[in-house]
Amino acid sequence: MTTPALTATATATTVVEPATGSDEHTAAGPGDGARLRAAADFVRHHDTATLLPLLLPGLGGPQLHALTRHLSFAHAAVLVFPPDPATLRAGLAACGLAADTPALPSSVVRDRLAARHRRDAAGLDVSILRPGVRAADGTRRAVEVFALTVPPGSDLGPVAEHERAHQHEAHLAFEVLRPEPLLLRGLCALLADRGAAPDGGGYNPHENGTVLYFTAPAASLAGYRRVELYAPGDHRDVLAGHLAAGPAERAGTRPFADQPAETLLRLLTGAWATQALAACARLRLPDAVPAGEPIDRAVLAHRTGTHPRALATLLRYLAMLGVVTAEGERVRLTEVGALLREDAPASMRPLALMYGGPFYRSFGALDHTVRTGETAFDHLFGENHFDHFARDPELADLFDRSMAASTRMFDPVPAHPALAAAAARPDGGTVVDVAGGNGELLARVLTAHPGLRGVLLERPHAVEAARRTMAEAGCADRCTYRVGDFADVPAEGDVYLLSRVLHDWDDDRCRAILRHCERAMPAHADLLIVERLLPADGTASLATAWDVHMMCNVGGRERRADHYADLLAAAGLDLLTHTPLPLDAALLHARRPERR
């Protein structure tokens, strides 16, 4: 069955087959081009509210409202059969999809195909790509493309023919916006109520996401036989009940929940991934690959002075991690791998060197920290990491650059109303960045608000780095610098910034830092804090990992929002709001109680 597309109108109630013009066979094989184009058009022209009633006929009223509140249409999926990667990418481009989309191995679909066709999974080269699509309403969604490579003359021809005819892997996916066990069980029950039957699923520890599959009701008008609920986080308790209720084995799934040894092995090899990425950065492999172009492995080995066979082994692993894609003997950087280039905007190369270097060594003594409460870094190096880095200019520079690698979390900060209000003051406002590092955040704020002035408080070497940042941003004439400690917070600011500072310290030190800020702040001033927040409900978050990192390396910690509210209250400040930022960070807004 060719995956159908619906009409583009919001009131569509009938299924329309995609056009099968002259490009039908260009993507990978017979009909694959049409299936790709149909999936892309489907994603462009549908949204959650109009799609759910088509998928679940009769759905309306409170049930429709409940589903649209908790679900978001994420992608349509299709399985194609290219003879080689180049043909697949040409097919993507022909359908208006990004040809340079990274390809990752798809173990779930590979194992489903192996079970369904009684094949050895090792002989099935299945990859997954998620090229983005901008919907008619401006929302970013994706087409999920599974690709089984079937070279000419391959014995996989019958597999491709069967899958094209039956489209077992084609599905629609909805992301659960705020997943929690009770809600997930309720959503599963509601779908079952409407005739959707459980059809397998799994937990992916690499993405930290749980997938629940259903077969669509027989009366569905959406044109897809399967539905996916994707819930960020580990929800294997819910998954176990879902699998017990449906034909997981018949569907050919091998959920991770049934393979604890495999799951543990994948987790145990996480350290290998860290060192593979660090080695990639140290060897400057990304810098030796032409931007946007493939390179022969032998040429890359020559350029980087590496052993050809050993490099090929590393590249295979990096391909599995999504850092490069392999095209025969040639490799190409993915968007992920390009972040390890030294010249990349907000390059993450320094972060890879730091996490694969000093911080990697200290994590080897994590058990010492858990046993004694002593910071592992101090135990290994004989001093805290701030003093250790300050005595080594190269290491201090690497640390500052590694901090800058995560500055994309700052992107929304300049738009905060407190900064806009300060910029609107008749005499121009002043922003004080306390322990402002290399000045990246303050430079963004001053660039966004030409009427603002800045003051940056930091250690001597960091002040010099900040001067360079301000000069490059064209803000040098609007910023002054203070060398000092937290006791030296300048007075007379309109907005005070504390970015990724408090998580370095224990509660007593945090209260002291906040009191220094409160004493310096005029009555009208605002305090903006950038930190990662531990989730109150225990859901997966980068903050949970960083909490271990801070404990092990600096003796600090991540905290929940209510914990920060208590620390602020002890310093005479109220936490008003906290809003999400990129990279799982948050922006906390505080001021004196009388200004509420």
Side-chain angles (χ1 to χ4, degrees):
M1 180 186 85
T2 300
T3 303
L6 297 183
T7 57
T9 61
T11 56
T13 57
T14 57
V15 175
V16 180
E17 295 292 333
T20 55
S22 59
D23 66 338
E24 180 181 359
H25 302 273
T26 60
D32 286 347
R35 274 184 283 275
L36 271 175
R37 178 167 278 106
D41 289 344
F42 190 98
V43 171
R44 289 188 181 102
H45 295 129
H46 290 86
D47 58 29
T48 309
T50 58
L51 184 53
L52 282 170
L54 296 170
L55 184 66
L56 306 171
L59 183 71
Q63 286 189 328
L64 175 59
H65 177 70
L67 282 183
T68 53
R69 217 158 35 92
H70 295 298
L71 299 179
S72 176
F73 177 38
H75 67 252
V78 61
L79 173 61
V80 296
F81 305 90
D84 52 61
T87 303
L88 171 62
R89 296 191 180 279
L92 293 174
C95 296
L97 301 172
D100 60 351
T101 302
L104 299 174
S106 176
S107 56
V108 173
V109 171
R110 178 200 65 193
D111 293 340
R112 287 172 61 88
L113 290 173
R116 196 153 51 236
H117 296 279
R118 304 183 189 281
R119 296 270 183 160
D120 180 3
L124 300 175
D125 180 16
V126 183
S127 58
I128 180 171
L129 305 88
R130 295 190 180 95
V133 172
R134 187 171 294 280
D137 62 1
T139 305
R140 292 291 297 178
R141 300 194 185 102
V143 175
E144 188 168 75
V145 182
F146 300 110
L148 170 62
T149 302
V150 182
S154 167
D155 66 348
L156 294 175
V159 174
E161 184 178 351
H162 173 90
E163 293 296 325
R164 286 191 182 112
H166 294 88
Q167 287 294 294
H168 294 294
E169 300 306 324
H171 66 259
L172 300 177
F174 296 84
E175 182 171 352
V176 183
L177 298 177
R178 295 185 179 276
E180 54 187 48
L182 188 61
L183 172 63
L184 286 175
R185 289 188 176 94
L187 291 174
C188 291
L190 197 158
L191 288 173
D193 235 19
R194 288 287 165 184
D199 188 27
Y203 168 68
N204 185 338
H206 296 292
E207 291 184 352
N208 190 30
T210 304
V211 173
L212 308 171
Y213 286 120
F214 298 82
T215 55
S220 173
L221 297 171
Y224 283 78
R225 293 179 173 180
R226 300 176 70 234
V227 184
E228 171 191 320
L229 291 189
Y230 175 77
D234 185 345
H235 304 284
R236 278 178 278 192
D237 288 347
V238 178
L239 175 64
H242 176 77
L243 295 174
E249 291 185 8
R250 179 178 58 80
T253 59
R254 292 174 62 237
F256 286 118
D258 291 342
Q259 303 169 61
E262 181 178 336
T263 297
L264 183 57
L265 278 175
R266 291 174 184 270
L267 296 174
L268 287 171
T269 59
W272 303 353
T274 301
Q275 282 303 327
L277 294 169
C280 178
R282 291 190 200 103
L283 295 168
R284 296 186 177 275
L285 300 182
D287 298 293
V289 178
E293 298 178 17
I295 186 172
D296 189 86
R297 288 189 312 204
V299 174
L300 183 58
H302 177 73
R303 286 186 181 180
T304 56
T306 52
H307 187 280
R309 184 178 61 78
L311 177 62
T313 300
L314 175 60
L315 289 172
R316 274 197 301 273
Y317 189 41
L318 291 173
M320 189 179 81
L321 297 176
V323 176
V324 300
T325 57
E327 302 173 4
E329 291 297 311
R330 296 162 72 79
V331 295
R332 181 195 300 265
L333 282 180
T334 66
E335 290 181 359
V336 173
L339 290 173
L340 293 174
R341 293 177 63 97
E342 189 164 36
D343 61 356
S347 169
M348 299 185 80
R349 181 176 183 271
L351 208 58
L353 297 175
M354 186 62 70
Y355 287 174
F359 289 157
Y360 189 88
R361 288 182 59 192
S362 58
F363 257 103
L366 176 59
D367 58 331
H368 174 82
T369 293
V370 175
R371 187 182 303 113
T372 67
E374 181 185 0
T375 304
F377 193 101
D378 299 10
H379 172 67
L380 284 176
F381 294 96
E383 58 187 338
N384 71 63
H385 104 286
F386 295 110
D387 292 340
H388 186 74
F389 290 176
R391 290 194 304 100
D392 185 334
E394 289 188 9
L395 200 53
D397 178 63
L398 177 61
F399 176 72
D400 287 339
R401 287 188 291 119
S402 72
M403 291 291 286
S406 299
T407 54
R408 54 179 53 83
M409 69 173 59
F410 297 156
D411 289 348
V413 173
H416 193 278
L419 291 165
R425 293 179 67 86
D427 56 346
T430 299
V431 179
V432 178
D433 196 352
V434 180
N438 72 346
E440 177 69 28
L441 175 56
L442 186 56
R444 291 180 183 227
V445 170
L446 297 184
T447 300
H449 301 286
L452 287 177
R453 298 179 301 277
V455 181
L456 186 136
L457 173 69
E458 252 299 357
R459 298 156 295 161
H461 85 273
V463 162
E464 292 310 309
R467 289 183 190 275
R468 293 192 294 271
T469 300
M470 291 296 171
E472 291 169 3
C475 303
D477 59 339
R478 290 190 286 128
C479 187
T480 57
Y481 309 90
R482 302 283 181 87
V483 174
D485 201 347
F486 294 114
D488 304 307
V489 176
E492 303 309 319
D494 299 294
V495 179
Y496 286 74
L497 303 177
L498 272 176
S499 173
R500 300 181 294 178
V501 171
L502 297 178
H503 73 163
D504 288 335
W505 306 99
D506 61 24
D507 284 359
D508 287 343
R509 184 64 165 146
C510 284
R511 281 187 282 265
I513 293 169
L514 292 170
R515 288 191 186 105
H516 287 309
C517 292
E518 190 275 337
R519 280 194 289 267
M521 291 167 59
H524 69 276
D526 294 274
L527 174 63
L528 299 181
I529 300 169
V530 176
E531 293 288 358
R532 287 190 170 94
L533 296 179
L534 288 172
D537 59 359
T539 54
S541 167
L542 284 175
T544 304
W546 254 258
D547 197 24
V548 179
H549 169 65
M550 302 312 293
M551 175 183 70
C552 186
N553 284 289
V554 301
R557 61 186 300 183
E558 305 295 349
R559 298 170 172 89
R560 299 191 332 185
D562 57 354
H563 194 155
Y564 278 116
D566 290 343
L567 295 175
L568 287 160
L573 297 168
D574 274 359
L575 176 60
L576 304 181
T577 61
H578 56 88
T579 54
L581 296 175
L583 302 181
D584 239 357
L587 182 61
L588 292 80
H589 179 202
R591 59 168 60 136
R592 287 193 174 86
E594 57 266 26
R595 286 199 59 206
R596 293 195 64 168

